[in-house]
Amino acid sequence: VLRRWLDGIDRSFVGLRGSPDQVAEIQRSFGLAPAVRQGSDSANYTVGHAAQVIAFTPDNQAHVVYPFGTRQADWDHDIPLLVQGRWSAQ
């Protein structure tokens, strides 16, 4: 499901997944509030989660946190610089 969703955005995007405990640990490591699942039906439930986008350089040496509401034009400018290793915080 995650792969299909990401492919609808861009086939080169990488999605990370894991057990609920693994996901919770990753969220904690980034200082994000934990995701909250509401509803017990395995087919019909909602998830409340952080809305930031975190973009990483290929070597994982730098990342940028975009808060909810960041415009796509900002990502369009920054992400190619991150990928090319030419990112500098401004």
Side-chain angles (χ1 to χ4, degrees):
V1 172
L2 179 59
R3 181 73 264 154
R4 282 194 316 263
W5 181 77
L6 289 170
D7 287 350
I9 301 168
D10 187 310
R11 294 188 58 81
S12 68
F13 281 17
V14 175
L16 303 177
R17 64 187 185 119
S19 70
D21 288 340
Q22 290 170 321
V23 172
E25 178 58 32
I26 292 166
Q27 290 170 320
R28 277 192 295 277
S29 74
F30 283 102
L32 302 174
V36 177
R37 179 179 169 156
Q38 297 174 331
S40 58
D41 181 350
S42 63
N44 296 302
Y45 61 89
T46 60
V47 177
H49 57 78
Q52 300 94 324
V53 170
I54 305 172
F56 296 85
T57 57
D59 62 6
N60 200 28
Q61 295 300 306
H63 66 272
V64 179
V65 178
Y66 297 95
F68 175 76
T70 300
R71 300 307 224 177
Q72 289 85 351
D74 294 326
W75 300 343
D76 188 49
H77 172 267
D78 295 350
I79 290 176
L81 297 175
L82 283 163
V83 170
Q84 297 165 9
R86 296 183 10 218
W87 170 256
S88 64
Q90 298 174 359

